[in-house]
Structures are given as C-alpha cells and as structure tokens.
Amino acid sequence: MNEILISPQVAVTLVLAVIGSFFGFGRVLLSQFERRLGEKFEASTDINTQQMGSIQREIERDRKSLASLSEELRVISNELPLQYVRREDWIRFSTSIDHKLDKLADLVIQHNNSGSHRG
C-alpha cells in the first residue's frame, strides 16, 4: 500500500488549523449566545418596567380608593351617635315607659274604683 507521509510541520499546521477552527466556532457561538441573552434581558427589562408601571398605577388607584373609603368611614362614624341607640339604652327607655304606663293604668283603675263607690 501507499503510505502517505506527512511532514511534522504540516501535521502541526493541520492540528493548529483544527484547533483554531474550533476556537473560532466557539467564539461565534459564544457571541451569538451573548447577543441572544442581551436581547432576552432587554425584553425582560421592558416587561418588568411595564409591569412596575401597571403596579404603580394600581397602587395609586387603591390609595385613592382607600382615602375615599376612610373619608366615608369618618363621616359614618361622626353620624353614628346621632342615629344609633344602644341596646342597653333602649331597654332602659322601654322599661321606663312600661313603668309609667303601669302607673297610669293603676291610676285609671283606682279612679274607676273610687268613682263606682260614689255613685
């Protein structure tokens, strides 16, 4: 058979060429990876910025709603004592009225009894 002999200089050159190609190919892949990573980061940053803006608007809306609700609660709290009768107060008032009606009934009965004896 015919043997192909390569000189050591050619062999070293071929090995260096293969190593250089792998190195170059690796750099191209790495640069593409970095570019894609940068694009994803920018897109993510844009989305985060939009979401933060949306969250800030929502917080501002909730803050205004809370302020309005607090004002309504303050108004109700101020009006409540004028419109509200506590249970204990109502029971005391009702008992007082019942006692006065009982006294009045006793007076009417007493008056009727004393009037029927005279006549």
Side-chain angles (χ1 to χ4, degrees), residues 67-103:
S68 172
L69 189 60
S70 295
E71 178 62 24
E72 289 177 28
L73 184 60
R74 187 187 63 74
V75 168
I76 289 171
S77 295
N78 288 339
E79 292 175 356
L80 190 62
L82 301 175
Q83 299 173 356
Y84 176 74
V85 176
R86 289 183 29 181
R87 182 174 182 261
E88 295 84 12
D89 292 340
W90 179 255
I91 290 172
R92 191 176 320 116
F93 174 74
S94 174
T95 303
S96 171
I97 294 293
D98 288 344
H99 182 67
K100 288 177 182 178
L101 287 174
D102 288 341
K103 276 184 168 181

Side-chain angles (χ1 to χ4, degrees), residues 8-45:
Q9 295 166 339
V10 173
V12 169
T13 304
L14 286 175
V15 169
L16 288 177
V18 169
I19 291 174
S21 336
F22 283 133
F23 183 70
F25 184 67
R27 287 189 64 179
V28 169
L29 285 177
L30 185 59
S31 68
Q32 288 178 353
F33 176 73
E34 286 178 345
R35 182 175 43 85
R36 287 183 185 160
L37 190 61
E39 290 172 358
K40 286 182 182 180
F41 181 74
E42 287 177 16
S44 174
T45 302

